[in-house]
Amino acid sequence: MKLSKYAKLGILIVFSFAIFIWGMNYLKGIDFFKQNTSYYVVYERIDGLLESSAVMINGYQVGQVKTIDFSNRNDGSLVVNFSLEGDFEIPEGSIARIVSSDLMGTKSIVLQINPSNVYYQEGDTIPGSIEEGLKEQVSMQVLPLKNKAEQLLASLDSAITVVTYVFNEEARKNLSESFAHINQTILNLESVSADINELLGAEKSNLKGIIQNMNKISSTLNENSDDFTNIIGNFSSISDSLAAVNIAGMVSDLQMSVQGINAVLAKIESGEGTAGKLLGDEQLYDNLAEMSQSLDFLLKDIRNNPKRYVHFSAFDLGKDVYISPQKEKNKTSQTEYTFKVHLISSPSRLSKNNTMFSDFDQVEEVEISGGYSYLTGETSDVAKIMKTHTAAKTVFPDASIIAFKNGRKVRLEKALRKLGN
């Protein structure tokens, strides 16, 4: 049976759509040809974990984070959903720990496997934990030193109390001042020790890299000593060549070139020549701006009314909207129709004082089927609503014009046809 060209075209389009959908999901990390198992983890905080972050086991990536949402407990905790590729099963007692995967602080999930013969099922919630930050680790290291210093200070305080009864008043005064300085010195040493520990912990890898780079540079310089000798000889030759060059003549020629450029710029600023006329012609700028706006209207009309320009399509695009502002023709019909610009729709209520609405004088809120739509610019003037729509597109790219007749929404093309636009 021979297929018609339309049947072949349909098969080609369906195959193209299938390849497109598979490719988009593959780029997101979803492979339809591999088995994927989803699990959930609840965290109090995620410290920068993102969707599509890697899920690792012993340094090997076995999956990725799919979604991150707030939990239903209303306490600010977060639910992370991740998937594993293949048929790997997570034993019960395992922990999903958020760690830093590199020096830049990129976060990933590391599965700490607990050997067990009982496994979590798909969709189960497994325990989670978060790697301690550098500040917390340094604090834990400094805490024993701090405790010892406090004990030492307490002992010194008791000793000073005994000594004050032994020495005379002046000696006791000197000892008190000395121990006060010792106390301050110990506190300073504690602070310096904490700073040094934190600095060494943060810059340990950098210091190691610097030492390795210095060794490589030293060995490279040693291996290329002959090349450096040749380079110095070449520089000497270049220096001799530069000494023989007529620098004064070159500077003179450069000054003449600069004077010529200044003369050309002066003519352009005074409006002489073609370039000067183009730069000083305000009418040319206005014509270009008007042509840009007309081109924008033409592109919108082509997008909304493809049948006006292309009379063949393999699909029914579903709407014929013709927007072409013209002068008023029917004053009586115009008063029956009003137009508004639809800015945005939201499943939850937005404040009219939101900064996104600051460029609009009046914003109207309409509740439809549990959602909220926000409109602006009520007018019966088609040209005026087009200007409002153009301004709204800069803030809301999906803004659109809707028409009403006697307070009821009607099709935009019908209203424009009635108005003769």
Side-chain angles (χ1 to χ4, degrees):
M1 178 179 178
K2 186 177 181 181
L3 296 176
S4 65
K5 61 180 181 179
Y6 297 105
K8 294 179 180 178
L9 178 61
I11 293 173
L12 177 62
I13 292 173
V14 170
F15 180 76
S16 300
F17 270 113
I19 293 298
F20 175 77
I21 293 172
W22 176 83
M24 291 296 293
N25 284 277
Y26 184 80
L27 292 177
K28 294 179 181 178
I30 302 173
D31 192 348
F32 293 120
F33 300 105
K34 289 185 178 180
Q35 180 181 354
N36 291 284
T37 309
S38 296
Y39 299 92
Y40 295 89
V41 188
V42 178
Y43 296 102
E44 297 297 329
R45 56 189 176 88
I46 60 175
D47 291 346
L49 185 72
L50 302 174
E51 293 184 1
S52 75
S53 295
V55 178
M56 316 286 288
I57 296 178
N58 296 331
Y60 177 71
Q61 182 173 352
V62 295
Q64 66 177 7
V65 176
K66 295 174 63 179
T67 60
I68 301 176
D69 296 305
F70 285 102
S71 67
N72 296 327
R73 296 186 296 189
N74 295 326
D75 58 354
S77 59
L78 299 165
V79 178
V80 176
N81 173 233
F82 67 89
S83 63
L84 300 181
E85 295 181 356
D87 56 354
F88 182 82
E89 295 180 319
I90 302 176
E92 288 190 1
S94 300
I95 298 175
R97 185 177 180 86
I98 297 177
V99 300
S100 298
S101 59
D102 55 27
L103 294 176
M104 302 302 293
T106 304
K107 299 296 182 180
S108 62
I109 294 178
V110 173
L111 295 178
Q112 298 178 345
I113 303 300
N114 177 46
S116 174
N117 294 327
V118 182
Y119 301 93
Y120 288 110
Q121 301 299 319
E122 182 176 6
D124 285 351
T125 300
I126 66 177
S129 64
I130 303 174
E131 181 185 48
E132 292 181 353
L134 179 61
K135 181 178 180 181
E136 296 173 350
Q137 296 178 9
V138 172
S139 298
M140 292 299 295
Q141 293 178 2
V142 174
L143 184 59
L145 179 61
K146 179 181 178 183
N147 293 333
K148 291 181 180 179
E150 290 176 351
Q151 295 174 2
L152 177 61
L153 289 176
S155 301
L156 288 175
D157 184 67
S158 300
I160 290 172
T161 303
V162 174
V163 172
T164 54
Y165 292 99
V166 176
F167 295 96
N168 57 29
E169 183 177 356
E170 184 177 358
R172 292 199 300 268
K173 181 179 178 180
N174 293 334
L175 284 175
S176 298
E177 293 178 354
S178 299
F179 282 114
H181 291 305
I182 292 173
N183 186 17
Q184 183 63 40
T185 301
I186 292 174
L187 293 175
N188 293 336
L189 287 174
E190 179 183 358
S191 176
V192 170
S193 175
D195 293 339
I196 291 174
N197 285 335
E198 183 177 359
L199 179 62
L200 291 177
E203 302 296 335
K204 181 177 180 181
S205 59
N206 293 336
L207 291 174
K208 183 178 179 181
I210 291 172
I211 294 173
Q212 291 177 350
N213 292 335
M214 291 296 294
N215 291 334
K216 291 181 180 178
I217 292 173
S218 176
S219 121
T220 302
L221 291 175
N222 187 28
E223 293 174 357
N224 296 280
S225 58
D226 295 338
D227 295 336
F228 281 112
T229 302
N230 294 333
I231 291 172
I232 293 173
N234 293 333
F235 271 117
S236 178
S237 301
I238 294 172
S239 176
D240 295 339
S241 300
L242 289 176
V245 173
N246 186 7
I247 303 295
M250 293 177 62
V251 172
S252 177
D253 294 339
L254 182 60
Q255 289 178 346
M256 293 179 63
S257 300
V258 171
Q259 291 175 358
I261 293 173
N262 290 334
V264 172
L265 293 176
K267 290 183 180 180
I268 291 176
E269 292 179 354
S270 63
E272 298 182 11
T274 304
K277 292 181 179 179
L278 288 175
L279 292 176
D281 192 352
E282 296 182 357
Q283 185 177 2
L284 175 61
Y285 172 78
D286 295 336
N287 292 337
L288 290 174
E290 183 178 355
M291 182 177 67
S292 176
Q293 185 176 10
S294 300
L295 181 59
D296 182 51
F297 287 143
L298 176 60
L299 292 175
K300 291 178 181 176
D301 192 40
I302 292 175
R303 182 181 61 191
N304 294 325
N305 310 285
K307 292 184 178 179
R308 177 184 290 181
Y309 304 93
V310 180
H311 299 285
F312 168 78
S313 177
F315 302 96
D316 184 6
L317 299 178
K319 61 177 181 178
D320 299 323
V321 180
Y322 301 93
I323 300 176
S324 179
Q326 296 180 358
K327 297 181 179 180
E328 300 180 2
K329 291 185 178 181
N330 192 335
K331 198 71 175 181
T332 303
S333 298
Q334 184 175 3
T335 58
E336 296 178 357
Y337 293 93
T338 58
F339 302 91
K340 299 179 183 179
V341 175
H342 175 267
L343 300 176
I344 190 174
S345 295
S346 172
S348 58
R349 174 169 290 172
L350 303 176
S351 173
K352 295 183 181 179
N353 297 325
N354 196 302
T355 54
M356 68 174 67
F357 300 134
S358 59
D359 295 335
F360 307 98
D361 296 334
Q362 294 181 350
V363 177
E364 178 184 355
E365 180 184 84
V366 179
E367 182 177 0
I368 302 175
S369 300
Y372 299 89
S373 296
Y374 295 88
L375 314 175
T376 188
E378 181 176 1
T379 180
S380 58
D381 188 345
V382 176
K384 184 176 180 181
I385 201 65
M386 290 294 292
K387 291 182 179 179
T388 303
H389 178 248
T390 302
K393 291 281 284 184
T394 61
V395 182
F396 302 96
D398 295 330
S400 60
I401 301 174
I402 56 177
F404 296 87
K405 179 180 181 182
N406 297 327
R408 299 183 60 184
K409 184 178 178 182
V410 296
R411 294 180 62 189
L412 178 61
E413 59 269 27
K414 179 180 178 181
L416 295 175
R417 188 166 54 250
K418 291 291 185 180
L419 294 176
N421 287 280

